[in-house]
């Protein structure tokens, strides 16, 4: 079958998908946006995905420091630690599960209200698996993804794969500069002169 005739991957219609733009792309700024998302919206529980195991540990430590009830899950943890983290999350003893893509597939975690992508996944199909953790069995779910100007190509690949445009969060406006470059947006106002 040719690529042109391949059907888009489907995401459940019960999932509200949004992007949240991080203007400077710095990790501390993304952590601040994530904390705001958790506070702004009625997050009963959430799986928060990071691309790297070390980022899972850093984000977990940061969220706990800021008073959030969170556990971590990634491939380098002992099986007993993984099981304990999942049990706490399933029982509602921890509201947030910070995870690598080890939690995107094959885990039975029912009734997850939110999926929050701290990082845009490296591969578009991982996005579909990640957000598929919410909006299951006919229940509604919400998936937010924090994006930076460096994520333009990955976002375009996701939207091509799922066959739809994912809108920005209602309270944000993605700058046009993010659509035209893979470099981080400059901190000063862009000139009105010719483009390079």
């Amino acid at each position: 079958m040719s690529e042109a005739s391949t059907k888009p991957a489907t995401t459940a219609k019960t999932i509200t998908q949004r992007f949240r733009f991080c203007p400077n792309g710095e990790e501390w700024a993304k952590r601040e946006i994530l904390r705001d998302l958790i506070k702004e919206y009625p997050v009963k529980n959430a799986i928060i995905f990071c691309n790297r195991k070390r980022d899972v540990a850093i984000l977990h430590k940061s969220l706990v420091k800021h008073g959030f009830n969170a556990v971590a899950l990634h491939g380098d943890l002992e099986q007993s630690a993984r099981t304990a983290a999942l049990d706490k999350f399933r029982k509602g003893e921890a509201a947030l599960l910070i995870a690598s893509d080890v939690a995107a597939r094959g885990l039975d975690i029912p009734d997850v209200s939110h999926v929050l992508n701290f990082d845009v996944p490296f591969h578009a199909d991982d996005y579909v698996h990640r957000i598929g953790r919410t909006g299951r069995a006919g229940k509604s779910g919400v998936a937010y993804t924090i994006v930076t100007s460096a994520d333009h190509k990955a976002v375009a690949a996701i939207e091509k794969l799922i066959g739809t445009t994912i809108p920005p969060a209602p309270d944000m406006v993605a700058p046009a500069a993010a659509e035209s470059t893979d470099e981080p947006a400059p901190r000063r106002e862009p000139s009105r002169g010719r483009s390079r």
Side-chain angles (χ1 to χ4, degrees):
M1 188 185 283
S2 74
E3 243 183 76
S5 63
T6 303
K7 288 176 69 176
T10 56
T11 54
K13 293 188 183 345
T14 54
I15 304 170
T16 300
Q17 301 174 61
R18 296 287 184 267
F19 285 138
R20 184 74 177 255
F21 188 70
C22 178
N24 69 13
E26 298 287 340
E27 293 297 305
W28 64 265
K30 288 173 64 178
R31 288 192 294 271
E32 191 173 278
I33 287 171
L34 179 68
R35 291 192 303 269
D36 288 346
L37 281 172
I38 296 166
K39 291 174 191 172
E40 282 174 33
Y41 300 96
V43 175
K44 183 186 93 176
N45 62 7
I47 301 176
I48 303 167
F49 285 101
C50 298
N51 287 343
R52 295 176 185 89
K53 291 176 270 195
R54 68 176 170 82
D55 293 335
V56 169
I58 292 167
L59 184 58
H60 175 247
K61 184 177 178 181
S62 173
L63 286 170
V64 170
K65 178 183 167 190
H66 282 88
F68 291 95
N69 184 359
V71 293
L73 178 70
H74 58 76
D76 283 352
L77 291 175
E78 295 288 329
Q79 186 59 43
S80 59
R82 283 194 237 178
T83 302
L86 279 172
D87 285 347
K88 281 185 84 171
F89 186 69
R90 283 187 186 118
K91 292 175 184 175
E93 295 169 9
L96 306 174
L97 175 66
I98 300 96
S100 62
D101 282 317
V102 72
R105 303 171 193 197
L107 294 179
D108 179 29
I109 307 174
D111 204 19
V112 175
S113 73
H114 288 69
V115 166
L116 304 170
N117 288 306
F118 182 74
D119 297 313
V120 176
F122 294 127
H123 305 288
D125 59 333
D126 288 336
Y127 174 84
V128 175
H129 291 290
R130 286 179 181 188
I131 72 164
R133 300 286 96 199
T134 188
R136 304 182 88 164
K139 294 182 180 177
S140 62
V142 178
Y144 273 87
T145 302
I146 299 171
V147 300
T148 69
S149 54
D151 295 321
H152 175 66
K153 286 183 182 175
V155 167
I158 289 167
E159 291 179 334
K160 181 178 179 182
L161 179 69
I162 64 175
T164 189
T165 300
I166 300 169
D171 57 343
M172 65 167 262
V173 178
E179 296 172 7
S180 62
T181 180
D182 288 334
E183 296 175 17
R187 292 180 190 230
R188 59 184 171 75
E189 257 189 62
S191 69
R192 302 272 184 231
R194 291 181 304 192
S195 324
R196 288 191 233 183

